[in-house]
């Protein structure tokens, strides 16, 4: 079976090791990444430390949930937008620590790893729009599904140990009162990240991204 047709995560929609790895890591739902066993006190110390990376805190939240421990406040830690295209998917993601990721339909990856006041002008509005949506969207009860098909889109809001989602046709989501602003700000972030501003002294990790 084509590995890109997996029916359970991790999914491999891009067919390149780098892109598929980055894509799945965004969701922090792979128990194999939990690492060495840590007690509940240590895990709470991680989730309560805003100086740690958002992916590390997300993993700690998932570990707490797996241990059946109380998670506490459910803060928004990230938003992932998946846009289905013809046999492919485009990804725009922003995390609470100010970092951002774009994966093109061809599997080209661009990651903003050193945010600053300029990048915050694009990341923060996306996160703010997601905060408005999170209280109105249901938490995902099933395991993460395959990337959306052509013409469809999915927005995933990473909230501590939960994921709140909204999925449907791109046009429906674009017109939705809560999903529309998320898509709008995701498009602005995508345009900014892929523009010629990369010549400015921002810190990017680029596997093979080209305009």
């Amino acid at each position: 079976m084509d590995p890109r047709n997996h029916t359970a995560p991790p999914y491999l929609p891009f067919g390149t090791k780098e892109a598929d790895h980055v894509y799945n890591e965004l969701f922090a739902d792979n128990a194999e990444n939990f690492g060495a066993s840590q007690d509940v006190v240590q895990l709470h110390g991680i989730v309560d430390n805003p100086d740690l990376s958002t992916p590390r805190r997300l993993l700690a939240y998932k570990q707490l949930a797996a241990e059946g421990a109380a998670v506490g406040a459910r803060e928004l830690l990230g938003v992932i937008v998946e846009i289905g295209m013809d046999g492919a998917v485009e990804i725009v993601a922003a995390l609470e620590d100010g970092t951002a990721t774009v994966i093109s339909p061809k599997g080209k990856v661009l990651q903003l790893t050193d945010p600053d006041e300029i990048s915050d002008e694009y990341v923060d509005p996306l996160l703010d729009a997601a905060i408005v949506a999170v209280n109105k969207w249901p938490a995902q009860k099933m395991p993460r599904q395959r990337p959306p098909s052509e013409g469809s889109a999915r927005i995933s809001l990473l909230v501590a140990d939960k994921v709140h989602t909204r999925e449907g046709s791109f046009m429906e989501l674009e017109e939705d009162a809560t999903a529309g602003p998320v898509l709008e700000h995701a498009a602005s972030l995508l345009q900014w990240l892929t523009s010629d501003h990369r010549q400015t002294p921002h810190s990017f990790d680029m596997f093979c991204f080209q305009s």
Side-chain angles (χ1 to χ4, degrees), residues 153-168:
R154 179 189 302 133
I155 304 172
S156 299
L157 309 181
L158 309 179
V159 185
D161 63 325
K162 304 291 185 184
V163 180
H164 295 249
T165 60
R166 177 64 62 87
E167 184 170 0

Side-chain angles (χ1 to χ4, degrees), residues 34-156:
F34 284 177
S37 177
Q38 294 176 297
D39 62 33
V40 171
V41 174
Q42 290 174 312
L43 292 173
H44 274 295
I46 293 172
V47 301
D48 293 336
N49 187 347
D51 293 329
L52 294 177
S53 72
T54 297
R56 182 67 192 94
R57 295 176 66 210
L58 278 167
L59 281 174
Y61 272 121
K62 299 295 177 66
Q63 287 176 275
L64 282 171
E67 295 290 335
V71 170
R74 286 186 163 83
E75 61 178 313
L76 177 75
L77 292 177
V79 54
I80 303 169
V81 176
E82 303 171 76
I83 307 296
M85 299 184 176
D86 184 14
V89 63
E90 184 168 55
I91 308 298
V92 182
L95 300 182
E96 182 271 339
D97 58 10
T99 59
T101 298
V102 168
I103 309 178
S104 79
K106 293 184 179 180
K108 298 174 181 178
V109 180
L110 176 64
Q111 293 181 294
L112 170 68
T113 58
D114 189 12
D116 60 17
E117 292 181 357
I118 297 176
S119 61
D120 287 348
E121 293 178 6
Y122 296 88
V123 172
D124 288 352
L126 176 53
L127 294 173
D128 289 342
I131 289 174
V132 173
V134 74
N135 292 321
K136 301 180 180 180
W137 296 0
Q140 180 177 287
K141 295 183 179 180
M142 301 292 290
R144 176 161 57 96
Q145 301 298 298
R146 292 177 60 182
S149 58
E150 182 180 5
S152 298
R154 179 189 302 133
I155 304 172
S156 299

